[in-house]
Amino acid sequence: MTANGAALCVGVSKYNDRGLVPLPEAAVSAREIQKALDTRVFPATATIVDPGSNGDLFLRLQKAAGEARGGTFVLYFAGHALRRGGDLLLTTRDTELEGTKGCVPWSDVRGMLKREGIATGVVLLNVDQPAGSSRPQLDGGSVAVMGSLRTYDAGGANASIRGYADALLAVLQRPAAEIESFLTDGVLDAEGLHKYLAEKAPASAPHASFSKPDRPAVIRDFAPPAALSMRGSALPSPPTPTPVVKPVVEVPVAAAPPPPPPPPAPEPAPEPTPAPAPEVEHEPEPPVEAKAEPEAAAPAPASEPEPVSPPKPAAARALALEHRPPQSTSMLTYALLAAAAIVAAIVYALLR
């Protein structure tokens, strides 16, 4: 899409020469086509109805081509056409059949477009020509030339203009979904326009292509419109936002709570203080009576010595009392003494 695209729609409905029938639909269709053009592709559009002379028409063509200099140019022409050899002549209100005066030859239009440096464009012809005319020479250079070129018919000329204009209006006004098969990458270009009209134009106004450049011009752009500034110029596209990479924050895993400390071991119960051994009264041993020596007698036979009897319990208790430690003796000493006493008692019991 170019910013300096321009379009001119021409409709010649009235003629001074009575040999050329009026064509009211030519003027009506020119206004309709001008309103249907995509203003984003063609910011400068204009309509001229019933130009008075070939000079008026040529000047308007030159102005529109200058507005499209280096860009895209579209010309829609509806009316009668005449022939001069292989050249097609665009008529005006003061055109005369005799001598083909008051016309603008296509060859002049072609030279003007070349001088203006038109990069791409489309010329749409909705015309008739005299009976017996051959196919004209319509080389467009960088501009595609197409349309409906019919044989002059005084009775059906106006209806034929209307029929072809309706087909052209449909492709310029329908939403993208209805003409999707004729779009290329979301745009309707000259090639898609040619295919649509070749398929949809009525039989009374068949469509034909006369010149096809290597680079087809864009006619409709279905991309969303760009935002405009206060001055009407397109705002720059916003920069593509750089994706923000959020740092990965590792959430610390909560450690398991430490096990509760084991309950303190119970302190060992203090060993009971051994009770002091009861005091035992010392029983006096009975006096040993002295035995009188017997008279001399025969010696008695030798006998085994008497066993020494262990000390009596009373003697053991007396011995324990003699060796009783003082009251300040430590607990271990008490325990040892008690154990010794128990052992002595056991020995005593065994020997007895």
Side-chain angles (χ1 to χ4, degrees), residues 185-218:
D185 296 331
V187 302
L188 176 69
D189 59 17
E191 183 63 23
L193 178 64
H194 163 62
K195 292 179 180 178
Y196 180 91
L197 293 173
E199 182 179 326
K200 304 296 184 180
S204 61
H207 174 79
S209 175
F210 303 99
S211 177
K212 184 185 297 185
D214 296 333
R215 177 186 173 189
V218 174

Side-chain angles (χ1 to χ4, degrees), residues 5-9 34 37 42-47 64 67-68 72-76:
L8 178 64
C9 299
Q34 186 264 333
L37 289 173
F42 308 103
T45 60
T47 302
E67 292 173 341
T72 303
F73 176 71
V74 166
L75 170 64
Y76 171 76

Side-chain angles (χ1 to χ4, degrees), residues 160-247:
S160 296
I161 286 180
R162 182 70 261 172
Y164 188 78
D166 287 342
L168 182 55
L169 282 170
V171 73
L172 295 178
Q173 294 176 335
R174 287 184 176 178
E178 296 184 12
I179 59 173
E180 186 175 1
S181 60
F182 303 98
L183 304 181
T184 302
D185 296 331
V187 302
L188 176 69
D189 59 17
E191 183 63 23
L193 178 64
H194 163 62
K195 292 179 180 178
Y196 180 91
L197 293 173
E199 182 179 326
K200 304 296 184 180
S204 61
H207 174 79
S209 175
F210 303 99
S211 177
K212 184 185 297 185
D214 296 333
R215 177 186 173 189
V218 174
I219 308 301
R220 295 183 67 185
D221 189 350
F222 291 95
L228 299 179
S229 66
M230 296 295 291
R231 297 180 179 179
S233 59
L235 294 174
S237 301
T240 303
T242 303
V244 179
V245 180
K246 296 183 179 179

Side-chain angles (χ1 to χ4, degrees), residues 35-292:
K35 293 179 181 178
L37 289 173
D38 191 339
T39 55
R40 291 186 299 152
V41 181
F42 308 103
T45 60
T47 302
I48 178 173
V49 175
D50 299 331
S53 66
N54 56 353
D56 294 340
L57 177 58
F58 188 84
L59 290 176
R60 293 298 299 271
L61 287 168
Q62 191 172 40
K63 179 183 178 183
E67 292 173 341
R69 183 177 294 116
T72 303
F73 176 71
V74 166
L75 170 64
Y76 171 76
F77 183 89
H80 296 298
L82 300 180
R83 294 293 298 275
R84 185 182 295 157
D87 204 357
L88 187 73
L89 309 178
L90 306 180
T91 60
T92 63
R93 187 167 55 183
D94 65 353
T95 294
E96 298 177 6
L97 284 174
E98 188 69 26
T100 61
K101 297 177 182 180
C103 301
V104 176
W106 166 252
S107 57
D108 290 351
V109 177
R110 168 70 178 83
M112 177 183 59
L113 298 179
K114 185 177 181 180
R115 289 191 300 271
E116 295 295 343
I118 300 301
T120 60
V122 178
V123 173
L124 292 160
L125 300 173
N126 190 0
V127 300
D128 56 24
Q129 63 177 356
S133 299
S134 61
R135 183 183 177 94
Q137 298 174 2
L138 296 172
D139 177 27
S142 62
V143 177
V145 181
M146 64 182 73
S148 177
L149 185 59
R150 305 167 297 274
T151 300
Y152 176 76
D153 177 12
N158 194 56
S160 296
I161 286 180
R162 182 70 261 172
Y164 188 78
D166 287 342
L168 182 55
L169 282 170
V171 73
L172 295 178
Q173 294 176 335
R174 287 184 176 178
E178 296 184 12
I179 59 173
E180 186 175 1
S181 60
F182 303 98
L183 304 181
T184 302
D185 296 331
V187 302
L188 176 69
D189 59 17
E191 183 63 23
L193 178 64
H194 163 62
K195 292 179 180 178
Y196 180 91
L197 293 173
E199 182 179 326
K200 304 296 184 180
S204 61
H207 174 79
S209 175
F210 303 99
S211 177
K212 184 185 297 185
D214 296 333
R215 177 186 173 189
V218 174
I219 308 301
R220 295 183 67 185
D221 189 350
F222 291 95
L228 299 179
S229 66
M230 296 295 291
R231 297 180 179 179
S233 59
L235 294 174
S237 301
T240 303
T242 303
V244 179
V245 180
K246 296 183 179 179
V248 179
V249 179
E250 296 184 359
V251 179
V253 180
E267 296 181 0
E271 295 183 4
T273 304
E279 295 182 2
V280 180
E281 295 181 359
H282 182 71
E283 297 179 358
E285 294 183 4
V288 180
E289 295 180 357
K291 293 181 180 182

